[in-house]
Amino acid sequence: MEELTGEEVASLHSKYVMQSWHKQGGPVKPIKKADGIYFWDYDGKRYTDMSSLLVCSNLGHELPEIVDAIKEQADKMCFMAPAYASEPKSRLAKMLVDVADPDFYQRVFFTNGGADSNENAIKMARMVTGRPKIFSCYRSYHGSTIGASNASGDWRRFATELGGSAPGFVHFMNPNMYEDGYTRGVDDAAVTADYLHRLDEQLQYEGPDSVAAILMESIVGANGVILPPEGYMEGVRALCDKYGILMICDEVMAGFCRTGKMFAWQNFDIKPDMFTFAKGVTCGYVPLGGVVVSKQISDYFTDHVLQCGLTYSGHTLACAAGVAAVNYYLEHDVCAHVKEMEGILKPFLESMVEKHKCVGEARCIGLFSALTIVKNKETRELMAPYHTPNSVMPQIMAKLMDLGFSTFGRETNINICPPLIITAEQLKEELPKLDKVLTWVDENLCD
């Protein structure tokens, strides 16, 4: 088949593809190839992937170990139905339990991606507890299926509410210390106590014996890499234990070494009853997600039918990619490399707070980071308050893209989450581009 030109690819996309989270038919950038931390358009311009696309390309693009595993499995068997055992699925399930905690966790239910994972975790929680309600945070995103959307807190849930919200979903406000007017490292104890008190009070008003689970991102991702104050996650776990509520941690974005731990919940003194994953398990090479469940939940489904199922659950080709990716994380000690790179990224971002009047706060754990962009640092007036119309943030992203620095942000944040294989030299080459654009923001958009 004759290869299309970049113009033809873009034209066909604009005419025939339904573009997520966009009005249809607008301009689109066609991409020809990708390798490592870079990708190229049809004009040969190189872009550095400083967001791991949608924080999924953890090991970069075209990693030979994953590509070769996919090719090898494709020559044997691309797909086998979920009722049958296959070597990649069996291997990957054990690997995931082992890296989580084999003394606490037991089994994995495989899905096609993050939304599916959260959807099925919700179903399991309701089946195990016999309770209907799911508590989740306003500052969150859990996926675009009906249940996952209703669990999500940001404005992307609104389309699913057109016919009325799905029953049983209750949102609570989770802390964002900077936007709430507090200082991280100073006010943590007070913020934690206040937010836990309010959550406990809301549970009382809803009836804790009607709540199946509290679903939370271990570290809030797309909404700005919001780090919880010290003691907050442990406090939520304690409330779950107090009322017999299951704790579900959404690791779709924060998992697989992104924070310098295999899973982000491992940064806290907790063990969720279930945690969901996707993205980094295959680095996006083949879609895959899942739910890792505790021995207690696994035991329940030994005696009760698991009423969850997907045609592609444990997809053979995807699991082969997952085995290769997890092997790479472990054999190359990617967590240690991430912590080393944090030593470069975090001080740089903190220096941007000192240098630029448009940067209110920097948050960084591992290679999971974001800047809060403000119009006025003294008053903490945000550059783009929640769901603001005609936001200037796309202008800022376009300036970065012009310099070959590809990333994304939501509301008033710029997320910086590069592939975990990025080197010190590559980081030092790219970060001055961010500094340059922030200077432009200071001069053109701040008070």
Side-chain angles (χ1 to χ4, degrees):
M1 184 179 294
E2 185 177 349
E3 187 174 331
L4 298 175
T5 66
E7 288 184 359
E8 289 170 332
V9 170
S11 176
L12 291 173
H13 180 103
S14 294
K15 188 173 182 180
Y16 295 108
V17 175
M18 290 290 286
Q19 180 71 39
S20 57
W21 312 119
H22 281 75
K23 294 179 180 178
Q24 302 308 303
V28 64
K29 186 180 295 297
I31 302 302
K32 188 171 186 178
K33 65 176 182 175
D35 185 63
I37 69 166
Y38 306 110
F39 57 87
W40 289 262
D41 65 21
Y42 278 75
D43 295 324
K45 181 175 179 177
R46 190 187 80 176
Y47 302 87
T48 307
D49 183 4
M50 292 300 288
S51 65
S52 304
L53 296 182
L54 297 177
V55 196
C56 57
S57 302
N58 285 15
L59 296 176
H61 304 280
E62 296 301 300
L63 186 76
E65 286 85 347
I66 301 179
V67 173
D68 290 345
I70 294 170
K71 290 178 179 177
E72 182 180 344
Q73 185 60 46
D75 285 336
K76 297 177 182 177
M77 177 175 64
C78 287
F79 171 65
M80 183 46 57
Y84 299 97
S86 68
E87 182 178 338
K89 179 169 58 176
S90 298
R91 281 188 180 275
L92 182 57
K94 183 179 186 302
M95 293 171 78
L96 294 172
V97 168
D98 285 348
V99 295
D101 181 351
D103 292 330
F104 187 83
Y105 297 102
Q106 181 63 51
R107 285 190 168 90
V108 182
F109 177 75
F110 286 109
T111 70
N112 301 321
D116 285 348
S117 300
N118 289 319
E119 195 89 28
N120 283 280
I122 289 167
K123 288 170 66 177
M124 286 187 233
R126 285 172 166 167
M127 283 184 274
V128 170
T129 64
R131 300 174 177 181
K133 293 180 182 178
I134 303 296
F135 266 55
S136 57
C137 305
Y138 273 112
R139 293 163 172 147
S140 74
Y141 182 67
H142 296 292
S144 61
T145 53
I146 295 294
S149 282
N150 274 274
S152 297
D154 73 28
W155 59 265
R156 286 173 289 180
R157 77 182 193 276
F158 292 165
T160 65
E161 296 179 345
L162 290 176
S165 299
F169 288 91
V170 180
H171 291 100
F172 65 96
M173 189 60 76
N174 48 326
N176 182 343
M177 292 188 67
Y178 179 80
E179 292 189 21
D180 292 344
Y182 297 101
T183 300
R184 187 173 306 281
V186 175
D187 302 313
D188 291 61
V191 172
T192 292
D194 180 40
Y195 272 87
L196 290 175
H197 170 73
R198 284 193 268 166
L199 175 56
D200 194 0
E201 188 175 47
Q202 192 171 355
L203 286 166
Q204 293 301 321
Y205 273 92
E206 289 289 338
D209 58 353
S210 71
V211 181
I214 296 179
L215 168 62
M216 305 175 67
E217 292 172 270
S218 302
I219 295 172
V220 173
N223 281 272
V225 189
I226 303 171
L227 304 176
E230 186 176 351
Y232 180 71
M233 295 298 286
E234 291 83 358
V236 174
R237 174 74 265 186
L239 286 175
C240 288
D241 292 339
K242 179 179 178 180
Y243 297 120
I245 297 169
L246 298 177
M247 185 178 193
I248 305 171
C249 281
D250 179 341
E251 290 276 329
V252 170
M253 188 173 281
F256 296 100
C257 306
R258 174 60 56 185
T259 67
K261 300 281 189 181
M262 182 59 74
F263 300 110
W265 60 260
Q266 293 170 330
N267 290 284
F268 313 108
D269 187 19
I270 64 169
K271 285 187 175 68
D273 300 286
M274 292 184 269
F275 66 91
T276 61
F277 66 88
K279 294 185 183 286
V281 69
T282 66
C283 303
Y285 287 47
V286 185
L288 183 68
V291 187
V292 180
V293 306
S294 68
K295 289 186 174 182
Q296 180 182 1
I297 292 172
S298 175
D299 288 346
Y300 176 87
F301 289 112
T302 300
D303 298 321
H304 300 80
V305 174
L306 174 63
Q307 298 179 56
C308 299
L310 298 159
T311 297
Y312 300 128
S313 177
H315 192 285
T316 317
L317 206 59
C319 286
V323 169
V326 175
N327 271 331
Y328 192 95
Y329 290 127
L330 297 174
E331 291 172 1
H332 291 80
D333 199 0
V334 171
C335 282
H337 177 73
V338 167
K339 294 306 288 185
E340 184 180 349
M341 293 304 99
E342 179 192 293
I344 297 171
L345 179 60
K346 186 175 182 179
F348 173 84
L349 295 179
E350 289 173 344
S351 75
M352 294 297 96
V353 178
E354 299 301 318
K355 179 176 181 180
H356 294 288
K357 60 183 181 180
C358 69
V359 182
E361 184 185 45
R363 297 174 296 281
C364 180
I365 180 169
L367 288 174
F368 203 30
S369 67
L371 299 175
T372 295
I373 306 302
V374 296
K375 188 174 180 63
N376 187 308
K377 186 179 289 190
E378 296 302 316
T379 64
R380 298 195 183 188
E381 180 185 354
L382 303 177
M383 187 67 72
Y386 174 72
H387 209 202
T388 186
N390 304 315
S391 171
V392 299
M393 294 302 291
Q395 295 181 44
I396 299 173
M397 298 303 169
K399 290 285 184 182
L400 288 167
M401 196 69 171
D402 287 344
L403 296 178
F405 187 109
S406 173
T407 192
F408 73 94
R410 186 156 306 284
E411 312 305 341
T412 202
N413 302 297
I414 299 175
N415 287 30
I416 304 98
C417 310
L420 309 184
I421 59 169
I422 197 168
T423 65
E425 292 72 24
Q426 289 169 329
L427 264 178
K428 291 173 182 177
E429 179 183 0
E430 295 303 320
L431 291 177
K433 299 176 184 177
L434 177 61
D435 186 9
K436 182 176 181 179
V437 171
L438 293 173
T439 299
W440 177 85
V441 177
D442 286 343
E443 296 170 351
N444 292 274
L445 300 176
C446 287
D447 291 340

